[in-house]
Coordinates of all heavy atoms in Angstrom, one line a residue:
D163 N 0.8 -1.2 -0.1 CA 0.0 -0.1 0.1 C 0.9 1.3 0.0 O 0.5 2.2 -0.7 CB -1.0 0.0 1.2 CG -1.9 -1.0 1.2 OD1 -2.3 -1.7 0.0 OD2 -2.6 -1.3 2.2
K164 N 1.9 1.2 0.7 CA 2.9 2.4 0.9 C 3.5 2.7 -0.5 O 3.5 4.0 -0.9 CB 3.9 2.1 1.9 CG 5.0 3.2 2.2 CD 6.0 2.7 3.2 CE 6.7 4.0 3.7 NZ 6.1 5.0 4.5
V165 N 4.0 1.7 -1.1 CA 4.7 2.0 -2.5 C 3.6 2.3 -3.5 O 3.9 3.3 -4.3 CB 5.5 0.6 -2.8 CG1 6.1 0.9 -4.3 CG2 6.6 0.4 -1.8
A166 N 2.5 1.7 -3.5 CA 1.5 2.1 -4.5 C 1.1 3.6 -4.2 O 1.0 4.3 -5.3 CB 0.2 1.2 -4.3
A167 N 0.9 4.1 -3.0 CA 0.5 5.4 -2.9 C 1.6 6.4 -3.2 O 1.4 7.4 -3.9 CB 0.3 5.6 -1.3
L168 N 2.9 6.0 -2.9 CA 4.0 6.8 -3.4 C 4.1 7.0 -4.9 O 4.4 8.2 -5.3 CB 5.3 6.2 -2.9 CG 5.7 6.3 -1.3 CD1 6.9 5.4 -1.1 CD2 5.9 7.7 -1.0
L169 N 3.6 6.1 -5.7 CA 3.7 6.1 -7.1 C 2.4 6.5 -7.7 O 2.3 6.5 -9.0 CB 4.3 4.7 -7.7 CG 5.7 4.5 -7.3 CD1 6.1 3.0 -7.6 CD2 6.7 5.4 -7.9
G170 N 1.4 6.7 -6.9 CA 0.0 7.2 -7.4 C -0.6 6.0 -8.1 O -1.5 6.4 -9.1
H171 N -0.6 4.8 -7.6 CA -1.3 3.7 -8.2 C -2.1 3.0 -7.1 O -2.0 3.2 -6.0 CB -0.2 2.7 -8.8 CG 0.3 3.0 -10.1 ND1 -0.3 2.5 -11.3 CD2 1.2 3.8 -10.6 CE1 0.4 3.0 -12.3 NE2 1.3 3.8 -11.8
E172 N -3.0 2.1 -7.6 CA -4.1 1.6 -6.8 C -3.6 0.5 -5.9 O -4.1 0.4 -4.8 CB -5.2 1.1 -7.7 CG -6.4 0.8 -7.1 CD -7.7 0.3 -8.0 OE1 -7.3 0.1 -9.2 OE2 -8.7 0.3 -7.7
A173 N -2.7 -0.4 -6.4 CA -2.3 -1.5 -5.5 C -0.8 -1.9 -5.9 O -0.3 -1.4 -6.9 CB -3.2 -2.7 -6.0
G174 N -0.2 -2.6 -5.1 CA 1.1 -3.1 -5.2 C 1.1 -4.6 -4.9 O 0.2 -5.2 -4.3
L175 N 2.4 -5.2 -5.4 CA 2.5 -6.7 -5.2 C 4.0 -6.7 -4.9 O 4.9 -6.5 -5.6 CB 2.2 -7.6 -6.4 CG 2.4 -8.9 -6.2 CD1 1.4 -9.6 -5.2 CD2 2.3 -9.8 -7.5
F176 N 4.3 -7.4 -3.7 CA 5.7 -7.7 -3.3 C 6.4 -8.8 -4.1 O 5.6 -9.8 -4.3 CB 5.8 -8.0 -1.7 CG 7.2 -8.1 -1.3 CD1 7.9 -7.1 -1.0 CD2 7.7 -9.4 -1.1 CE1 9.2 -7.3 -0.5 CE2 8.9 -9.7 -0.5 CZ 9.7 -8.5 -0.3
A177 N 7.5 -8.6 -4.5 CA 8.2 -9.6 -5.2 C 9.6 -9.9 -4.6 O 10.2 -8.8 -4.2 CB 8.3 -9.5 -6.8
P178 N 10.2 -11.1 -4.7 CA 11.5 -11.3 -4.2 C 12.6 -10.6 -4.9 O 13.8 -10.3 -4.4 CB 11.6 -12.8 -4.1 CG 10.8 -13.3 -5.1 CD 9.6 -12.3 -5.2
T179 N 12.5 -10.3 -6.3 CA 13.5 -9.9 -7.1 C 12.9 -8.7 -8.0 O 11.7 -8.8 -8.4 CB 14.3 -10.9 -8.0 OG1 13.4 -11.3 -8.9 CG2 14.7 -12.0 -7.1
G180 N 13.8 -7.9 -8.5 CA 13.4 -6.9 -9.5 C 13.2 -7.5 -10.8 O 12.2 -7.0 -11.6
S181 N 13.9 -8.6 -11.0 CA 13.7 -9.3 -12.3 C 12.2 -9.8 -12.4 O 11.5 -9.7 -13.5 CB 14.6 -10.3 -12.6 OG 16.0 -9.7 -12.9
L182 N 11.9 -10.4 -11.3 CA 10.5 -11.0 -11.3 C 9.4 -9.9 -11.3 O 8.3 -10.1 -12.1 CB 10.3 -12.0 -9.9 CG 9.0 -12.5 -9.8 CD1 8.5 -13.4 -11.0 CD2 8.7 -13.2 -8.5
A183 N 9.6 -9.0 -10.6 CA 8.8 -7.8 -10.6 C 8.5 -7.4 -12.1 O 7.4 -7.2 -12.6 CB 9.1 -6.6 -9.8
N184 N 9.7 -7.0 -12.8 CA 9.5 -6.6 -14.2 C 8.8 -7.8 -15.1 O 8.0 -7.5 -15.8 CB 10.9 -6.6 -14.8 CG 11.5 -5.3 -14.5 OD1 10.8 -4.3 -14.4 ND2 12.9 -5.1 -14.6
Q185 N 9.1 -9.0 -14.9 CA 8.5 -10.2 -15.7 C 7.0 -10.2 -15.5 O 6.2 -10.6 -16.4 CB 9.2 -11.5 -15.4 CG 10.7 -11.6 -16.0 CD 10.7 -11.2 -17.4 OE1 10.0 -11.7 -18.3 NE2 11.7 -10.4 -17.7
L186 N 6.5 -10.0 -14.2 CA 5.2 -10.0 -14.0 C 4.4 -8.8 -14.7 O 3.4 -9.0 -15.3 CB 5.0 -9.9 -12.5 CG 5.4 -11.1 -11.7 CD1 5.2 -10.8 -10.1 CD2 4.5 -12.4 -12.0
G187 N 5.3 -7.7 -14.7 CA 4.7 -6.5 -15.4 C 4.5 -6.7 -16.9 O 3.6 -6.4 -17.5
L188 N 5.5 -7.3 -17.5 CA 5.4 -7.7 -18.9 C 4.4 -8.6 -19.3 O 3.7 -8.4 -20.2 CB 6.9 -8.1 -19.4 CG 8.1 -7.4 -19.0 CD1 9.4 -8.0 -19.7 CD2 7.9 -5.9 -19.5
R189 N 4.3 -9.7 -18.4 CA 3.2 -10.7 -18.7 C 1.8 -10.2 -18.6 O 0.9 -10.6 -19.2 CB 3.5 -11.8 -17.6 CG 2.4 -13.0 -17.9 CD 2.8 -13.7 -19.1 NE 1.9 -14.8 -19.5 CZ 0.8 -14.6 -20.1 NH1 0.2 -13.4 -20.1 NH2 -0.1 -15.7 -20.4
L190 N 1.6 -9.1 -17.8 CA 0.3 -8.5 -17.8 C -0.1 -7.8 -19.0 O -1.3 -7.8 -19.4 CB 0.2 -7.5 -16.7 CG 0.3 -8.0 -15.1 CD1 0.5 -6.8 -14.2 CD2 -0.9 -8.8 -14.8
H191 N 0.8 -7.4 -19.8 CA 0.5 -6.5 -21.0 C 0.7 -7.2 -22.3 O 0.3 -6.8 -23.3 CB 1.3 -5.2 -20.9 CG 1.2 -4.5 -19.7 ND1 0.0 -3.9 -19.2 CD2 2.1 -4.0 -18.7 CE1 0.2 -3.4 -18.1 NE2 1.4 -3.4 -17.8
V192 N 1.6 -8.3 -22.4 CA 2.0 -8.9 -23.6 C 1.7 -10.3 -23.6 O 2.2 -11.1 -22.7 CB 3.5 -8.7 -24.0 CG1 3.8 -8.8 -25.3 CG2 3.9 -7.2 -23.6
G193 N 1.0 -10.7 -24.6 CA 0.7 -12.2 -24.7 C 1.6 -12.9 -25.4 O 2.5 -12.4 -26.1
P194 N 1.5 -14.2 -25.4 CA 2.5 -15.0 -26.3 C 2.5 -14.7 -27.7 O 1.4 -14.5 -28.3 CB 2.0 -16.5 -26.1 CG 1.3 -16.4 -24.7 CD 0.7 -15.1 -24.7
G195 N 3.7 -14.4 -28.3 CA 3.7 -14.1 -29.8 C 3.6 -12.6 -30.0 O 3.8 -12.1 -31.1
Q196 N 3.2 -11.8 -29.0 CA 3.2 -10.4 -29.1 C 4.5 -9.7 -28.7 O 5.4 -10.3 -28.4 CB 2.0 -9.9 -28.2 CG 0.5 -10.2 -28.5 CD -0.3 -9.8 -27.7 OE1 -0.3 -9.5 -26.5 NE2 -1.7 -9.6 -28.2
E197 N 4.5 -8.4 -28.9 CA 5.8 -7.8 -28.8 C 5.9 -6.6 -27.9 O 4.9 -6.0 -27.6 CB 6.0 -7.1 -30.3 CG 7.3 -6.3 -30.3 CD 7.3 -5.6 -31.7 OE1 6.6 -4.5 -32.0 OE2 7.9 -6.1 -32.6
L198 N 7.1 -6.5 -27.2 CA 7.4 -5.4 -26.5 C 8.6 -4.7 -27.2 O 9.3 -5.3 -27.9 CB 7.9 -5.7 -25.1 CG 9.1 -6.5 -24.7 CD1 10.3 -5.6 -24.7 CD2 9.0 -7.2 -23.4
V199 N 8.7 -3.4 -26.9 CA 9.9 -2.6 -27.4 C 10.5 -2.0 -26.3 O 9.9 -1.5 -25.3 CB 9.5 -1.6 -28.6 CG1 8.8 -2.3 -29.7 CG2 8.7 -0.6 -28.1
A200 N 11.9 -2.0 -26.3 CA 12.7 -1.3 -25.3 C 14.1 -1.0 -25.8 O 14.4 -1.3 -27.0 CB 13.0 -2.4 -24.1
D201 N 14.8 0.0 -25.2 CA 16.1 0.3 -25.8 C 17.1 -0.9 -25.8 O 17.0 -1.6 -25.0 CB 16.6 1.7 -25.0 CG 17.3 1.4 -23.8 OD1 18.6 1.1 -23.9 OD2 16.6 1.4 -22.8
Q202 N 18.2 -0.7 -26.5 CA 18.9 -1.8 -26.7 C 19.9 -2.0 -25.5 O 20.4 -3.1 -25.3 CB 20.0 -1.5 -27.9 CG 20.9 -0.2 -27.8 CD 21.7 0.1 -28.9 OE1 21.5 -0.7 -29.9 NE2 22.6 0.9 -28.7

Protein backbone atom coordinates (compact mmCIF):
# COMPACT_ATOMS: atom_id res chain seq x y z
CA ASP A 1 0.00 0.00 0.00
CA LYS A 2 2.83 2.38 0.86
CA VAL A 3 4.66 1.94 -2.44
CA ALA A 4 1.46 2.09 -4.48
CA ALA A 5 0.54 5.39 -2.81
CA LEU A 6 4.02 6.84 -3.36
CA LEU A 7 3.73 6.12 -7.09
CA GLY A 8 0.09 7.14 -7.43
CA HIS A 9 -1.24 3.67 -8.22
CA GLU A 10 -4.11 1.64 -6.85
CA ALA A 11 -2.31 -1.46 -5.60
CA GLY A 12 1.05 -3.15 -5.23
CA LEU A 13 2.55 -6.64 -5.14
CA PHE A 14 5.72 -7.64 -3.29
CA ALA A 15 8.23 -9.72 -5.27
CA PRO A 16 11.52 -11.22 -4.13
CA THR A 17 13.50 -9.76 -7.05
CA GLY A 18 13.41 -6.88 -9.47
CA SER A 19 13.61 -9.23 -12.41
CA LEU A 20 10.48 -11.06 -11.26
CA ALA A 21 8.64 -7.78 -10.70
CA ASN A 22 9.54 -6.76 -14.25
CA GLN A 23 8.53 -10.12 -15.70
CA LEU A 24 5.17 -9.98 -13.97
CA GLY A 25 4.64 -6.50 -15.38
CA LEU A 26 5.52 -7.63 -18.89
CA ARG A 27 3.25 -10.67 -18.66
CA LEU A 28 0.29 -8.49 -17.75
CA HIS A 29 0.52 -6.51 -20.97
CA VAL A 30 2.01 -8.81 -23.60
CA GLY A 31 0.62 -12.18 -24.62
CA PRO A 32 2.54 -15.05 -26.23
CA GLY A 33 3.72 -14.07 -29.70
CA GLN A 34 3.10 -10.39 -29.06
CA GLU A 35 5.79 -7.75 -28.87
CA LEU A 36 7.40 -5.34 -26.46
CA VAL A 37 9.90 -2.65 -27.43
CA ALA A 38 12.73 -1.35 -25.25
CA ASP A 39 16.06 0.36 -25.79
CA GLN A 40 19.05 -1.79 -26.72
